[in-house]
Amino acid sequence: MGLIVHEWAHAAVLRLGGIDYDVSFFPGHESGPLGLLASCPWAVVRPNPTDRDPAWLLRCAALAPALLSAPVFVAGFVGDGWLASPLATAAAIGWLACSLPSPQDFSVAFYAHRALENRRTAVASSSRAD
């Protein structure tokens, strides 16, 4: 559940920014229920930016899942004690794990400007009337 929420965090920022995106559930999954659960990833968001979309928006979308950690930290700081049980602690740790940006997310965050420059170059070279 947390992995799907992680991907929807990306999609929410892309939607707010007006960038087109595709969502795939269980891409390349194995057949059968066990193969479906064992296959990774469970969901993938692929942005389709234009050459005019700002790189900062792609960076924000890539790092958006980090905001999923906020409820756990707020509950910890409030200190009402519900995180003291082992089950609640395990759930909080699992949720925090799903809020971590993946290596691919960090790659988009660091190199979004390059991807957009490559797209601009491809659009400019394909629009020539030679």
Side-chain angles (χ1 to χ4, degrees):
M1 176 82 169
L3 295 174
I4 293 174
V5 172
H6 173 105
E7 294 300 324
W8 279 109
H10 295 304
V13 173
L14 291 171
R15 177 169 288 208
L16 287 173
I19 295 178
D20 187 36
Y21 62 92
D22 297 321
V23 178
S24 302
F25 292 100
F26 302 105
H29 70 279
E30 301 292 325
S31 61
L34 289 179
L36 188 66
L37 290 175
S39 66
C40 284
W42 288 359
V44 174
V45 174
R46 289 185 183 93
N48 301 316
T50 64
D51 57 336
R52 290 174 303 231
D53 289 324
W56 66 266
L57 194 53
L58 290 175
R59 289 184 176 107
C60 289
L63 298 176
L67 296 175
L68 296 174
S69 63
V72 175
F73 287 117
V74 167
F77 287 129
V78 169
D80 63 355
W82 73 272
L83 283 177
S85 76
L87 184 60
T89 301
I93 290 170
W95 188 258
L96 287 173
C98 292
S99 72
L100 292 174
S102 67
Q104 293 88 354
D105 296 340
F106 282 114
S107 178
V108 170
F110 291 133
Y111 300 110
H113 64 285
R114 288 186 188 173
L116 291 174
E117 286 172 8
N118 291 342
R119 183 172 292 271
R120 286 183 191 113
T121 305
V123 168
S125 66
S126 67
S127 65
R128 290 185 186 168
D130 292 334

